[in-house]
Amino acid sequence: RKEVEQDPGPFNVPEGATVAFNCTYSNSASQSFFWYRQDCRKEPKLLMSVYSSGNEDGRFTAQLNRASQYISLLIRDSKLSDSATYLCVVAHSNYGGATNKLIFGTGTLLAVQP
Amino acid sequence: EAQVTQNPRYLITVTGKKLTVTCSQNMNHEYMSWYRQDPGLGLRQIYYSMNVEVTDKGDVPEGYKVSRKEKRNFPLILESPSPNQTSLYFCASSRGTNNEQFFGPGTRLTVL
Protein backbone atom coordinates (compact mmCIF):
# COMPACT_ATOMS: atom_id res chain seq x y z
CA ARG A 1 0.00 0.00 0.00
CA LYS A 2 1.31 3.45 -0.88
CA GLU A 3 1.95 5.82 2.02
CA VAL A 4 -0.11 8.55 0.36
CA GLU A 5 -2.87 7.67 -2.09
CA GLN A 6 -4.85 9.87 -4.42
CA ASP A 7 -7.34 9.23 -7.20
CA PRO A 8 -5.34 10.09 -10.34
CA GLY A 9 -8.42 11.35 -12.19
CA PRO A 10 -8.77 13.05 -14.55
CA PHE A 11 -11.59 15.05 -13.11
CA ASN A 12 -13.29 16.83 -16.02
CA VAL A 13 -15.61 19.55 -14.74
CA PRO A 14 -17.33 22.57 -16.31
CA GLU A 15 -16.43 26.09 -15.32
CA GLY A 16 -18.23 27.14 -12.16
CA ALA A 17 -18.50 23.62 -10.79
CA THR A 18 -17.46 22.54 -7.31
CA VAL A 19 -14.99 19.68 -7.19
CA ALA A 20 -13.49 17.75 -4.27
CA PHE A 21 -10.35 15.62 -4.01
CA ASN A 22 -9.50 13.20 -1.25
CA CYS A 23 -6.15 11.83 -0.19
CA THR A 24 -5.48 9.04 2.30
CA TYR A 25 -2.28 8.46 4.24
CA SER A 26 -1.08 5.37 6.05
CA ASN A 27 1.28 6.71 8.72
CA SER A 28 -0.77 7.68 11.77
CA ALA A 29 2.24 9.61 13.12
CA SER A 30 2.13 12.07 10.21
CA GLN A 31 2.33 15.58 11.50
CA SER A 32 1.90 18.09 8.68
CA PHE A 33 -0.22 18.12 5.57
CA PHE A 34 -0.22 20.17 2.41
CA TRP A 35 -1.76 20.55 -1.01
CA TYR A 36 0.55 21.51 -3.86
CA ARG A 37 -0.40 22.43 -7.41
CA GLN A 38 1.66 21.38 -10.41
CA ASP A 39 1.14 22.68 -13.92
CA CYS A 40 2.23 20.52 -16.83
CA ARG A 41 6.04 20.08 -16.91
CA LYS A 42 6.49 22.76 -14.24
CA GLU A 43 7.63 22.64 -10.64
CA PRO A 44 5.10 22.05 -7.84
CA LYS A 45 3.99 25.09 -5.86
CA LEU A 46 2.32 25.25 -2.48
CA LEU A 47 -1.43 25.76 -2.72
CA MET A 48 -2.20 25.58 0.98
CA SER A 49 -1.27 23.93 4.22
CA VAL A 50 -3.93 21.81 5.91
CA TYR A 51 -4.71 22.50 9.55
CA SER A 52 -6.52 20.27 12.02
CA SER A 53 -9.46 22.63 12.26
CA GLY A 54 -9.75 22.97 8.49
CA ASN A 55 -8.89 26.10 6.60
CA GLU A 56 -10.09 28.17 3.70
CA ASP A 57 -8.32 30.38 1.18
CA GLY A 58 -10.72 32.05 -1.21
CA ARG A 59 -12.38 29.36 -3.31
CA PHE A 60 -10.24 26.60 -1.77
CA THR A 61 -11.05 24.70 1.41
CA ALA A 62 -8.84 22.04 2.96
CA GLN A 63 -9.83 19.63 5.71
CA LEU A 64 -8.04 17.01 7.77
CA ASN A 65 -9.59 13.93 9.34
CA ARG A 66 -6.96 12.34 11.57
CA ALA A 67 -9.23 9.53 12.76
CA SER A 68 -9.79 8.30 9.22
CA GLN A 69 -6.38 9.46 7.99
CA TYR A 70 -7.46 11.49 5.04
CA ILE A 71 -7.28 15.06 3.84
CA SER A 72 -9.51 16.77 1.33
CA LEU A 73 -9.44 19.74 -0.99
CA LEU A 74 -12.61 21.47 -2.15
CA ILE A 75 -12.55 23.93 -5.04
CA ARG A 76 -15.63 26.09 -5.54
CA ASP A 77 -16.57 28.01 -8.68
CA SER A 78 -13.89 26.30 -10.79
CA LYS A 79 -11.94 28.45 -13.24
CA LEU A 80 -10.16 27.38 -16.40
CA SER A 81 -6.95 28.43 -14.68
CA ASP A 82 -7.53 25.80 -11.97
CA SER A 83 -6.66 23.07 -14.49
CA ALA A 84 -3.58 21.37 -13.08
CA THR A 85 -2.43 18.38 -11.08
CA TYR A 86 -3.04 18.62 -7.33
CA LEU A 87 -0.53 16.86 -5.11
CA CYS A 88 -1.27 15.74 -1.58
CA VAL A 89 1.80 15.92 0.68
CA VAL A 90 2.31 14.46 4.14
CA ALA A 91 5.22 15.07 6.52
CA HIS A 92 6.38 12.82 9.31
CA SER A 93 9.49 11.96 11.27
CA ASN A 94 11.66 8.89 10.81
CA TYR A 95 13.18 9.32 14.24
CA GLY A 96 10.25 10.25 16.42
CA GLY A 97 11.22 13.88 16.65
CA ALA A 98 10.76 16.81 14.33
CA THR A 99 9.45 16.00 10.88
CA ASN A 100 12.12 15.21 8.37
CA LYS A 101 10.36 13.32 5.59
CA LEU A 102 7.88 14.44 2.98
CA ILE A 103 5.76 11.95 1.07
CA PHE A 104 4.03 13.07 -2.09
CA GLY A 105 0.93 11.51 -3.57
CA THR A 106 0.95 10.82 -7.30
CA GLY A 107 -1.49 13.67 -7.89
CA THR A 108 -5.01 14.22 -9.13
CA LEU A 109 -5.47 15.77 -12.56
CA LEU A 110 -8.16 18.42 -12.85
CA ALA A 111 -9.36 19.66 -16.23
CA VAL A 112 -11.86 22.53 -16.13
CA GLN A 113 -13.82 22.79 -19.37
CA PRO A 114 -15.28 26.02 -20.79
CA GLU B 1 14.38 37.40 -6.10
CA ALA B 2 13.99 34.38 -3.83
CA GLN B 3 14.53 31.28 -5.88
CA VAL B 4 15.94 27.80 -6.32
CA THR B 5 18.04 27.29 -9.41
CA GLN B 6 19.04 24.04 -11.06
CA ASN B 7 21.51 23.36 -13.83
CA PRO B 8 21.40 22.02 -16.39
CA ARG B 9 17.71 22.17 -17.26
CA TYR B 10 18.03 19.50 -19.91
CA LEU B 11 20.69 16.83 -20.29
CA ILE B 12 21.13 13.85 -22.58
CA THR B 13 24.01 11.59 -21.66
CA VAL B 14 25.22 8.02 -22.06
CA THR B 15 25.37 5.15 -19.62
CA GLY B 16 28.31 5.35 -17.23
CA LYS B 17 29.32 8.95 -17.80
CA LYS B 18 29.44 10.71 -14.44
CA LEU B 19 27.33 13.83 -14.13
CA THR B 20 26.38 16.43 -11.55
CA VAL B 21 23.18 18.43 -11.36
CA THR B 22 23.63 21.59 -9.35
CA CYS B 23 21.06 23.14 -7.03
CA SER B 24 21.35 26.48 -5.32
CA GLN B 25 18.97 28.51 -3.14
CA ASN B 26 19.26 32.12 -1.98
CA MET B 27 16.75 31.99 0.89
CA ASN B 28 19.09 30.75 3.63
CA HIS B 29 17.01 27.61 3.97
CA GLU B 30 18.27 24.77 6.11
CA TYR B 31 16.30 21.93 4.53
CA MET B 32 17.04 20.86 0.97
CA SER B 33 16.04 17.77 -0.96
CA TRP B 34 16.12 16.07 -4.31
CA TYR B 35 13.16 14.35 -5.96
CA ARG B 36 12.61 12.45 -9.13
CA GLN B 37 9.26 12.42 -10.86
CA ASP B 38 8.15 9.57 -13.08
CA PRO B 39 4.75 8.94 -14.71
CA GLY B 40 2.42 7.04 -12.39
CA LEU B 41 4.91 7.17 -9.51
CA GLY B 42 4.74 10.82 -8.56
CA LEU B 43 7.53 12.64 -6.77
CA ARG B 44 9.89 10.36 -4.87
CA GLN B 45 12.55 11.68 -2.54
CA ILE B 46 16.12 10.72 -3.38
CA TYR B 47 18.12 12.44 -0.64
CA TYR B 48 17.54 15.25 1.78
CA SER B 49 19.66 17.48 3.99
CA MET B 50 18.60 19.03 7.28
CA ASN B 51 21.63 21.34 7.35
CA VAL B 52 25.26 21.73 6.29
CA GLU B 53 27.09 18.39 6.38
CA VAL B 54 23.86 16.58 7.37
CA THR B 55 22.38 14.40 4.64
CA ASP B 56 20.16 11.33 4.68
CA LYS B 57 18.63 8.89 2.26
CA GLY B 58 15.14 9.31 0.95
CA ASP B 59 13.06 6.59 -0.66
CA VAL B 60 15.12 5.99 -3.81
CA PRO B 61 18.79 6.79 -3.07
CA GLU B 62 20.41 3.98 -5.06
CA GLY B 63 22.72 5.26 -7.78
CA TYR B 64 22.87 8.81 -6.41
CA LYS B 65 25.15 10.81 -4.12
CA VAL B 66 24.78 14.25 -2.61
CA SER B 67 26.85 16.67 -0.60
CA ARG B 68 26.05 19.72 1.49
CA LYS B 69 29.26 21.62 2.06
CA GLU B 70 27.55 24.99 2.02
CA LYS B 71 24.06 25.98 3.07
CA ARG B 72 23.05 27.28 -0.33
CA ASN B 73 24.20 24.38 -2.53
CA PHE B 74 23.05 20.79 -2.72
CA PRO B 75 24.42 19.04 -5.83
CA LEU B 76 23.13 15.68 -7.02
CA ILE B 77 25.79 13.33 -8.37
CA LEU B 78 25.25 10.32 -10.60
CA GLU B 79 28.55 8.43 -10.58
CA SER B 80 27.54 5.94 -13.27
CA PRO B 81 24.17 6.86 -14.78
CA SER B 82 21.94 4.14 -16.14
CA PRO B 83 18.85 4.34 -18.38
CA ASN B 84 16.52 3.74 -15.40
CA GLN B 85 17.68 7.11 -14.06
CA THR B 86 16.02 8.86 -16.99
CA SER B 87 13.57 11.13 -15.23
CA LEU B 88 12.53 14.66 -14.30
CA TYR B 89 14.50 15.84 -11.26
CA PHE B 90 13.48 18.57 -8.84
CA CYS B 91 15.49 20.22 -6.12
CA ALA B 92 13.60 21.88 -3.27
CA SER B 93 14.42 23.96 -0.21
CA SER B 94 12.55 25.16 2.83
CA ARG B 95 13.04 26.33 6.40
CA GLY B 96 11.89 22.87 7.48
CA THR B 97 9.59 20.03 6.44
CA ASN B 98 6.66 21.79 8.13
CA ASN B 99 7.19 24.79 5.89
CA GLU B 100 6.53 25.56 2.25
CA GLN B 101 8.88 23.73 -0.11
CA PHE B 102 10.29 25.94 -2.87
CA PHE B 103 11.10 23.92 -5.96
CA GLY B 104 13.61 24.55 -8.68
CA PRO B 105 12.44 24.51 -12.31
CA GLY B 106 13.42 20.88 -12.85
CA THR B 107 16.11 19.02 -14.79
CA ARG B 108 15.02 16.62 -17.49
CA LEU B 109 17.66 13.91 -17.73
CA THR B 110 17.85 11.26 -20.43
CA VAL B 111 20.39 8.45 -20.11
CA LEU B 112 20.94 6.48 -23.31
Side-chain angles (χ1 to χ4, degrees):
Chain A
R1 182 188 172 190
K2 292 180 181 175
E3 287 193 69
V4 177
E5 295 206 61
Q6 295 181 250
D7 182 342
F11 283 58
N12 296 300
V13 303
E15 270 187 291
T18 295
V19 61
F21 309 136
N22 284 336
C23 165
T24 59
Y25 61 94
S26 61
N27 189 332
S28 60
S30 298
Q31 298 175 26
S32 304
F33 309 87
F34 310 88
W35 283 102
Y36 278 73
R37 171 194 168 126
Q38 185 175 24
D39 294 297
C40 188
R41 302 181 186 280
K42 296 287 188 69
E43 71 273 24
K45 293 185 179 178
L46 180 68
L47 178 66
M48 57 197 305
S49 301
V50 186
Y51 303 122
S52 296
S53 55
N55 48 301
E56 188 173 306
D57 182 2
R59 297 181 294 108
F60 300 86
T61 300
Q63 292 193 312
L64 167 64
N65 185 319
R66 283 192 184 272
S68 300
Q69 295 183 203
Y70 78 83
I71 67 174
S72 64
L73 177 68
L74 182 78
I75 305 175
R76 290 180 299 279
D77 189 21
S78 299
K79 311 290 185 192
L80 294 175
S81 57
D82 293 335
S83 296
T85 296
Y86 291 84
L87 305 173
C88 169
V89 184
V90 173
H92 63 83
S93 170
N94 279 348
Y95 307 113
T99 56
N100 65 332
K101 195 115 174 16
L102 286 169
I103 308 294
F104 283 74
T106 53
T108 297
L109 178 62
L110 172 65
V112 181
Q113 317 285 343
Chain B
E1 179 190 356
Q3 60 182 347
V4 178
T5 56
Q6 292 178 230
N7 282 291
R9 295 287 315 281
Y10 303 90
L11 178 60
I12 301 174
T13 189
V14 295
T15 298
K17 187 176 180 182
K18 180 179 178 179
L19 67 92
T20 299
V21 185
T22 64
C23 173
S24 183
Q25 51 94 3
N26 62 0
M27 294 168 278
N28 201 36
H29 285 162
E30 291 177 348
Y31 186 90
M32 296 186 75
S33 58
W34 276 102
Y35 299 89
R36 60 178 290 175
Q37 187 171 35
D38 303 287
L41 298 176
L43 277 156
R44 293 179 294 166
Q45 193 176 50
I46 303 170
Y47 269 95
Y48 64 94
S49 170
M50 301 288 281
N51 213 325
V52 175
E53 301 290 3
V54 180
T55 63
D56 207 348
K57 295 177 181 179
D59 294 315
V60 289
E62 295 78 20
Y64 304 95
K65 285 174 58 176
V66 293
S67 67
R68 188 90 181 274
K69 294 184 170 57
E70 311 163 274
K71 201 170 189 179
R72 62 184 295 125
N73 296 323
F74 190 45
L76 179 70
I77 303 154
L78 284 73
E79 294 271 4
S80 183
S82 61
N84 65 12
Q85 292 179 299
T86 292
S87 187
L88 177 59
Y89 291 86
F90 287 105
C91 178
S93 76
S94 67
R95 287 189 287 124
T97 50
N98 287 326
N99 306 101
E100 177 179 2
Q101 300 288 307
F102 290 85
F103 285 83
T107 295
R108 188 165 290 280
L109 172 66
T110 301
V111 183
L112 301 174

